[in-house]
Amino acid sequence: MLMTPSPIKISPADILSTAKGKSTRNEFRRRQGQPRKNQALRRRLTRKQFVAKGGAFQGGKRTSACEQESLYSRIKKQFNNLGEDLYLVVEQFEMVSRKVAESMDGNKPAEMVQDSTDPRSSQTSGGGKALPQKKYYRQRAHSNPICDHVFDYPTTPEEMNWNTLYPPSKLTNSRRVEFLDIGCGYGGLLVALSKMFPEKLMLGLEIRVKVQQYVQYRIEGLRKMYTGHYENIAVLRTNAMKYLPNYFHEGQIEKMFFLYPDPHFKKSKYKWRIINDTLLSEYAYILAKNAKVYTVTDVKDLHDWMVQHFTDHQLFEPVSDAEMESDPVSKIILDSTEEGKKVTRNKGDNFTCYLFSAKYIR
Amino acid sequence: MSFVAANDKLLVLAGRDKVFVASLESLSRETTAIDISEARPVPVPSATTNSPSPKKVSVVCLTISTDSKYLCAADSDKYVYIYGKSKSGWKLLRYFQTEKRLLQMIFNNDSGYLAMTDKCGDVWLSDLVSEDAAIPRKILGHCSVILHTCLNAEGTRIFTCDRDEKIRVSSFPDSYIIKGYYMGHKEAVVSIALVFNDTHLFSVDIESNLKFWKVENKSCALTFNLFTVLRLTGEEATKSDFQISLMRATELNSTKVYLAMKVANYDKVPVFDFDLESLTVQLVGEVPINSTLFDFYWVGTSLFIACPDSSEGLIQVVITEDGKISEPKSCVIPQWEEIRTNMSSFIQFNQVCTIPLRKRVANDGLEKGPCNKVRATEDKVGDLKKVDGKKNVEKEPASA
């Protein structure tokens, strides 16, 4: 009697993902139930929705919020020569009113001002007068880390001049960077951690030019707005995969963060992932004994990859759930970054946080 | 791209399809030719084509163990062949396939391990004693291509240098434990050599900066620029693009080391000597080759240079008792014509695969920055221009 085998069910998703090892960001979106990238952008808004987002109708045509002139630029156009002085007056007024509000609230630092003036006009002073706006500093998320970007890096850690990043008061007693955010993005984590650990020096590494510029201007603006605060954070444009030993000594770092790293979905790009077996040895070299490594991602495949690599590596061991819950940092890392907020906004539920401790074998 | 290997007794030359083994005791005796192409497994014909198209394959690197027990050759099809010495000659013991094409292979002193460096910056280890010798495992990796690998005599440390100016020392065979970095070079580090009983290390970069390190505390004691000694600096040198591509070292006694260099686009082999007492480097002599395609190897105080353009045979140069180098002497080898043609075919195949070692922009051409070195202002703009290819990345505000 012939036994016909039951048909094997293969979903289109499996075919797509296994065909030549392809798995792209669009495929990930489809699985998450989100529209494809271009589909989202082409969605036409109704009049009411458009106006609600800050759009306006000028001359019968739609002008979106970004295209409209900001308050500053309108003032500048009307008062050509006086525009700059007026801006200074407005800024001074804002700072004074903020300080008055602080003194009335009992020295509580005020919330960060989100909307600011055009940063390009204040670029000569490094954007230090106000906080920069993210929309002028967007850059493509993917970057080839193996490529020969042109970087400014010291030959040895001793040659690094940390005075350009931190004020001298923070560098007394030969203090060194202890918290490291690899791929810090727009600096959300650094700003949040700065308040929690004011005595620790923190550094964010970012490979993208514009994003690093944004974080730099943001930190400078925060330092001017809140004197004495945010002096323990800084950002550096460098390739963390290649040049970590150029900046840090052996066993220097106490906490290392890999928040929402680039998943590099395709199999041929796996070697570009920030966590792999060869790089973990380098991270273990610069980490101190029992240092902590935090990883967060909303991509399950990348999360499994990272957990597997950390677990297989002899120099890392997972931290217990109890210790993770008692760690104050693990509570803020999900929502402090822009990526984390985006995941929450899109109601993504796949972000996972993992914590590893570095063993010390010498 | 090195095609010469040697130990105290044997000298091995690699050709495109064959490997030639000659005894150093009497080079004029017959050389043994090992046909690598015979050992290649027959490729399985694919379903789409009727007959498999012959793939162009060549040997890419080779090595011989110090006790002459094993001879190992790797080909461009990612196969590694290990031959063992037997009474009737060299017998193929095993072969296996690696993930990527190899650049260099070395045995440790007791021939228990074979460390293989591939073209992607990873080092693989094959444990020849164990049962899974045919399954190499990855032991360490650099982010850029590894240019030279070296093991210490005890077999406890592995030294690797890469294109990103780093020299890394790791434990061996547990190379996930990094022991340290030797930081100081500003260009790709081409070769390293352990000298004086593994207490000191020589390293040279493409711009001929020779550094002398103390292995224990990872400090650079001295730096020498060899091109100034050779007078290869200036505009003409820049046009010819001289670069150090290989360095090999040999010890004369406990205080003197002789270093032979291969300079790309230069048709001589400069030999330098380093004196540990006076801490100086001197040019001892230059061996004229009249060709830019050659390779060499030290065997004790003799330097053997293999050049396919030489019609007579190997060129041998000896370090004399007064510390100078002798006149080059030709060593006639039987079957030299066959060896020559095979070697030139090897060079023709492998020269195309050489990796560019200079970075896109030289560090000297940029402005000063916070690291006391350089800042790339132009390239930042270049980056921005590349990124702005897409429309929705950035919107120019109407006011600007």
Side-chain angles (χ1 to χ4, degrees):
Chain A
M1 200 165 78
L2 279 174
M3 301 285 288
T4 53
S6 56
I8 304 163
K9 288 178 188 172
I10 303 174
S11 70
D14 294 330
I15 295 169
L16 277 172
S17 64
T18 54
K20 292 185 187 175
K22 275 187 191 170
S23 180
T24 61
R25 176 55 92 171
N26 269 334
E27 174 57 30
F28 173 72
R29 282 200 183 92
R30 202 189 61 79
R31 279 192 231 143
Q32 295 291 313
Q34 295 165 15
R36 286 202 325 268
K37 185 175 170 184
N38 290 329
Q39 275 183 349
L41 292 172
R42 269 188 254 132
R43 209 172 33 211
R44 188 161 172 83
L45 303 171
T46 62
R47 189 192 177 93
K48 217 176 177 179
Q49 287 170 336
F50 182 70
V51 167
K53 282 203 163 187
F57 289 87
Q58 292 178 0
K61 286 184 184 170
R62 292 189 177 197
T63 320
S64 67
C66 300
E67 289 165 354
Q68 290 173 46
E69 290 174 331
S70 61
L71 173 65
Y72 165 71
S73 55
R74 260 182 263 154
I75 293 171
K76 192 179 174 189
K77 269 195 177 175
Q78 288 175 23
F79 301 95
N80 276 333
N81 295 325
L82 299 173
E84 186 72 15
D85 299 331
L86 192 64
Y87 165 62
L88 285 168
V89 166
V90 165
E91 191 214 31
Q92 292 294 324
F93 173 74
E94 278 177 358
M95 278 185 68
V96 164
S97 59
R98 207 172 295 115
K99 281 187 179 166
V100 165
E102 271 177 41
S103 61
M104 283 172 67
D105 288 342
N107 293 330
K108 283 181 202 166
E111 291 302 314
M112 266 169 31
V113 173
Q114 281 303 316
D115 43 326
S116 65
T117 55
D118 187 349
R120 289 168 188 230
S121 62
S122 51
Q123 234 174 23
T124 47
S125 62
K129 289 174 186 167
L131 293 178
Q133 285 183 288
K134 262 179 222 164
K135 63 188 180 191
Y136 301 124
Y137 294 90
R138 297 286 179 196
Q139 186 167 344
R140 187 169 178 268
H142 304 292
S143 181
N144 180 355
I146 315 289
C147 171
D148 276 347
H149 297 274
V150 183
F151 289 112
D152 180 6
Y153 56 92
T155 318
T156 62
E158 287 79 20
E159 282 184 21
M160 180 62 193
N161 184 11
W162 296 103
N163 285 312
T164 54
L165 298 174
Y166 302 100
S169 56
K170 289 287 176 187
L171 295 169
T172 51
N173 300 328
S174 47
R175 280 174 62 194
R176 293 174 174 178
V177 170
E178 280 153 327
F179 289 11
L180 189 60
D181 187 0
I182 308 267
C184 63
Y186 292 91
L189 178 71
L190 286 175
V191 169
L193 282 178
S194 174
K195 284 184 266 182
M196 282 178 73
F197 300 91
E199 293 306 312
K200 299 279 185 188
L201 284 180
M202 303 172 201
L203 185 67
L205 303 184
E206 178 55 54
I207 196 171
R208 295 174 286 173
V209 174
K210 286 165 95 173
V211 178
Q212 179 266 335
Q213 275 178 348
Y214 169 83
V215 182
Q216 195 178 322
Y217 294 156
R218 185 181 181 186
I219 293 172
E220 285 171 10
L222 285 170
R223 284 181 185 175
K224 292 214 168 182
M225 282 163 64
Y226 305 99
T227 321
H229 294 281
Y230 300 108
E231 288 180 345
N232 59 337
I233 54 172
V235 69
L236 207 58
R237 180 175 172 258
T238 189
N239 185 338
M241 290 170 73
K242 291 194 179 205
Y243 303 124
L244 281 184
N246 292 67
Y247 289 98
F248 307 110
H249 294 93
E250 185 183 355
Q252 180 179 332
I253 306 296
E254 288 180 10
K255 283 194 199 296
M256 215 154 153
F257 299 90
F258 297 93
L259 305 194
Y260 301 97
D262 195 335
H264 291 297
F265 288 103
K266 294 182 183 176
K267 241 185 197 174
S268 59
K269 304 284 186 261
Y270 281 177
K271 61 180 181 242
W272 291 6
R273 285 182 168 175
I274 196 80
I275 302 290
N276 56 49
D277 44 1
T278 53
L279 275 173
L280 282 180
S281 308
E282 288 200 20
Y283 301 149
Y285 176 74
I286 62 165
L287 284 168
K289 188 177 180 185
N290 295 329
K292 299 288 185 287
V293 180
Y294 300 79
T295 66
V296 179
T297 181
D298 59 334
V299 180
K300 184 80 171 58
D301 172 53
L302 180 65
H303 167 72
D304 293 339
W305 167 282
M306 291 200 288
V307 167
Q308 184 230 319
H309 278 81
F310 271 109
T311 315
D312 290 347
H313 200 274
Q314 312 276 358
L315 297 179
F316 289 94
E317 55 189 5
V319 157
S320 61
D321 290 342
E323 200 178 334
M324 212 194 309
E325 280 189 19
S326 64
D327 188 356
V329 175
S330 56
K331 287 166 189 132
I332 63 142
I333 61 177
L334 293 180
D335 283 329
S336 56
T337 58
E338 197 197 85
E339 277 292 328
K341 287 173 191 165
K342 189 164 92 176
V343 171
T344 317
R345 229 174 18 243
N346 293 338
K347 291 174 191 165
D349 53 0
N350 282 337
F351 47 73
T352 38
C353 166
Y354 237 86
L355 193 51
F356 287 91
S357 171
K359 293 188 215 172
Y360 204 80
I361 302 173
R362 288 287 180 264
Chain B
M1 192 191 64
S2 62
F3 49 88
V4 182
N7 58 15
D8 298 334
K9 292 175 191 164
L10 300 171
L11 182 86
V12 190
L13 300 165
R16 172 100 179 235
D17 301 318
K18 295 183 182 174
V19 166
F20 303 93
V21 186
S23 167
L24 282 168
E25 286 161 15
S26 55
L27 282 171
S28 52
R29 250 192 254 162
E30 193 177 317
T31 51
T32 322
I34 304 169
D35 201 339
I36 303 289
S37 52
E38 279 178 1
R40 270 194 74 222
V42 178
V44 174
S46 60
T48 49
T49 56
N50 290 329
S51 60
S53 55
K55 218 175 178 179
K56 290 180 185 173
V57 183
S58 161
V59 171
V60 288
C61 59
L62 81 168
T63 186
I64 188 163
S65 59
T66 42
D67 51 7
S68 307
K69 209 166 143 190
Y70 297 115
L71 167 71
C72 190
D75 74 5
S76 54
D77 211 13
K78 300 177 242 171
Y79 278 101
V80 176
Y81 308 96
I82 301 180
Y83 290 86
K85 189 93 172 86
S86 66
K87 283 179 187 171
S88 56
W90 292 92
K91 199 173 107 181
L92 178 70
L93 292 180
R94 64 169 69 89
Y95 66 91
F96 50 87
Q97 204 166 18
T98 52
E99 281 189 26
K100 297 281 177 187
R101 188 187 290 195
L102 299 183
L103 287 182
Q104 189 193 350
M105 295 186 290
I106 41 171
F107 284 101
N108 67 339
N109 270 353
D110 62 3
S111 309
Y113 289 114
L114 173 67
M116 301 169 278
T117 308
D118 69 14
K119 67 181 181 79
C120 292
D122 296 325
V123 177
W124 299 79
L125 186 73
S126 174
D127 192 349
L128 299 169
V129 174
S130 75
E131 287 170 0
D132 51 358
I135 309 169
R137 62 183 172 95
K138 198 193 293 189
I139 54 169
L140 72 90
H142 284 234
C143 202
S144 66
V145 65
I146 294 177
L147 298 174
H148 198 66
T149 317
C150 198
L151 282 172
N152 67 350
E154 291 168 14
T156 52
R157 298 280 183 269
I158 180 166
F159 294 78
T160 43
C161 64
D162 67 4
R163 191 173 165 270
D164 278 338
E165 310 109 27
K166 284 194 214 11
I167 302 167
R168 170 176 148 177
V169 57
S170 322
S171 191
F172 186 80
D174 299 325
S175 302
Y176 52 84
I177 303 171
I178 299 177
K179 292 294 181 184
Y181 286 89
Y182 296 82
M183 310 291 293
H185 277 286
K186 292 174 193 171
E187 299 290 339
V189 185
V190 173
S191 288
I192 44 178
L194 283 165
V195 292
F196 301 132
N197 214 16
D198 296 347
T199 53
H200 291 82
L201 178 76
F202 272 109
S203 63
V204 71
D205 63 21
I206 50 172
E207 292 297 336
S208 80
N209 294 309
L210 178 73
K211 285 193 182 276
F212 182 60
W213 308 82
K214 287 184 187 168
V215 168
E216 197 58 44
N217 56 8
K218 301 179 191 65
S219 62
C220 176
L222 300 162
T223 307
F224 307 95
N225 187 291
L226 303 176
F227 280 168
T228 45
V229 176
L230 293 171
R231 291 182 197 169
L232 290 177
T233 50
E235 280 182 23
E236 284 180 18
T238 328
K239 278 182 207 168
S240 313
D241 193 23
F242 292 121
Q243 284 183 27
I244 302 275
S245 51
L246 186 65
M247 172 187 76
R248 294 211 203 269
T250 192
E251 290 178 44
L252 180 65
N253 49 39
S254 59
T255 55
K256 269 215 169 182
V257 167
Y258 282 80
L259 305 159
M261 303 281 170
K262 184 177 175 200
V263 185
N265 304 323
Y266 194 58
D267 58 356
K268 296 179 195 169
V269 178
V271 179
F272 297 88
D273 87 330
F274 173 82
D275 193 354
L276 187 62
E277 284 159 8
S278 62
L279 295 177
T280 50
V281 163
Q282 282 179 31
L283 176 67
V284 175
E286 289 180 286
V287 183
I289 308 291
N290 300 327
S291 169
T292 52
L293 305 169
F294 55 86
D295 196 12
F296 51 79
Y297 216 92
W298 285 105
V299 180
T301 52
S302 298
L303 181 69
F304 290 95
I305 303 167
C307 176
D309 291 342
S310 150
S311 54
E312 290 164 353
L314 291 180
I315 302 167
Q316 185 185 4
V317 162
V318 183
I319 300 171
T320 54
E321 283 175 1
D322 55 353
K324 301 207 174 141
I325 54 169
S326 65
E327 286 298 314
K329 184 181 89 176
S330 291
C331 301
V332 179
I333 287 186
Q335 302 163 291
W336 178 243
E337 280 304 317
E338 189 194 353
I339 297 174
R340 262 181 84 182
T341 41
N342 238 292
M343 275 201 311
S344 43
S345 187
F346 170 97
I347 293 171
Q348 216 176 354
F349 186 96
N350 285 301
Q351 213 174 9
V352 180
C353 316
T354 47
I355 302 149
L357 298 178
R358 281 201 206 280
K359 298 234 170 142
R360 279 193 304 150
V361 179
N363 283 342
D364 290 338
L366 305 171
E367 295 173 22
K368 298 270 177 181
C371 303
N372 299 327
K373 296 291 161 192
V374 291
R375 171 178 292 247
T377 48
E378 278 184 13
D379 199 67
K380 271 187 189 169
V381 171
D383 267 356
L384 290 171
K385 279 182 186 163
K386 269 185 231 166
V387 161
D388 288 348
K390 284 192 180 177
K391 281 183 192 172
N392 53 356
V393 168
E394 182 205 328
K395 282 190 179 168
E396 290 277 340
S399 60

